Amino acid sequence: MNWIPAALRTPLVLTTAQSTSFFLGMMKVKPIQWLMFNACAPVNISFIIGMLAEYFLDNRILLHSSIPGFLFFGGMGLVMFPWKGMALIPQFSHIVMVSNALRELYKTYQQKDYEQGFLGLTLGCFLWIPFIYFQQRYFYTHPEEVNKILLNPELRLKEIEEEQKSK
């Protein structure tokens, strides 16, 4: 069963790199837009940092701190995004996020690592609940960006193409 962590963590790293490249490279969004519209990436990055802390420091608190973000963004993404076309790419990432969260919760139970689990989940609530609030507030106050970047990315890509033609 030692292959399970690699099978879950490797796609997480790859989908984070892919989504970041898509938003910052192809979509040419501003960093704040990347943070708001690709909210899975900061959560994934915190998990990757947690993986390093677990490996080098034998400390799982940072891993656990990612779980509230994983369950919110990964779980909500599964029901909010469509299951067709280009949306299948982020859906794969959402499945990976939820799977990693469930595996870490199971590992915590299996190892009876309740202290680090509690501390990490508590830290995660303090980190991700305000982030979620600001992200949702950003969506509410920038509906045109939500429509153009998140819901209809082809509009943004067409805009970029027209900008390049006019140069």
Side-chain angles (χ1 to χ4, degrees):
M1 296 300 247
N2 288 340
W3 60 270
I4 292 176
L8 292 174
R9 292 175 174 182
T10 303
L12 185 80
V13 172
L14 295 174
T15 58
T16 303
Q18 182 276 332
S19 67
T20 299
S21 172
F22 174 75
F23 278 97
L24 293 176
M26 278 186 69
M27 297 290 283
K28 299 187 185 332
V29 299
K30 299 172 189 160
I32 186 69
Q33 293 171 320
W34 168 78
L35 195 61
M36 296 296 114
F37 295 120
N38 192 21
C40 295
V43 178
N44 292 351
I45 291 167
S46 75
F47 185 81
I48 293 165
I49 293 169
M51 289 184 333
L52 296 172
E54 177 187 31
Y55 183 77
F56 290 110
L57 306 174
D58 196 33
N59 185 315
R60 294 173 37 82
I61 292 172
L62 290 176
L63 268 178
H64 287 98
S65 72
S66 302
I67 291 173
F70 269 5
L71 294 177
F72 182 82
F73 292 113
M76 291 296 289
L78 289 172
V79 296
M80 298 298 291
F81 280 73
W83 284 86
K84 59 184 177 183
M86 292 301 291
L88 291 175
I89 296 170
Q91 287 295 42
F92 175 72
S93 178
H94 298 145
I95 291 168
V96 170
M97 291 171 73
V98 171
S99 299
N100 271 291
L102 295 176
R103 184 200 177 272
E104 292 308 321
L105 290 171
Y106 175 74
K107 186 175 176 184
T108 300
Y109 171 76
Q110 188 181 40
Q111 294 179 349
K112 299 187 180 352
D113 188 15
Y114 304 122
E115 182 180 346
Q116 287 194 19
F118 173 77
L119 291 172
L121 289 171
T122 302
L123 174 63
C125 288
F126 281 107
L127 289 172
W128 299 117
I129 290 173
F131 179 78
I132 290 165
Y133 169 79
F134 287 115
Q135 189 240 14
Q136 296 298 306
R137 185 81 183 138
Y138 188 89
F139 278 22
Y140 180 75
T141 59
H142 297 83
E144 69 288 342
E145 289 180 25
V146 173
N147 183 51
K148 186 170 47 175
I149 296 171
L150 196 60
L151 300 178
N152 298 296
E154 64 276 357
L155 295 175
R156 175 68 181 141
L157 292 171
K158 188 175 183 178
E159 184 179 271
I160 293 167
E161 187 178 304
E162 289 171 3
E163 288 173 5
Q164 289 175 344
K165 284 181 182 177
S166 68
K167 289 183 179 180

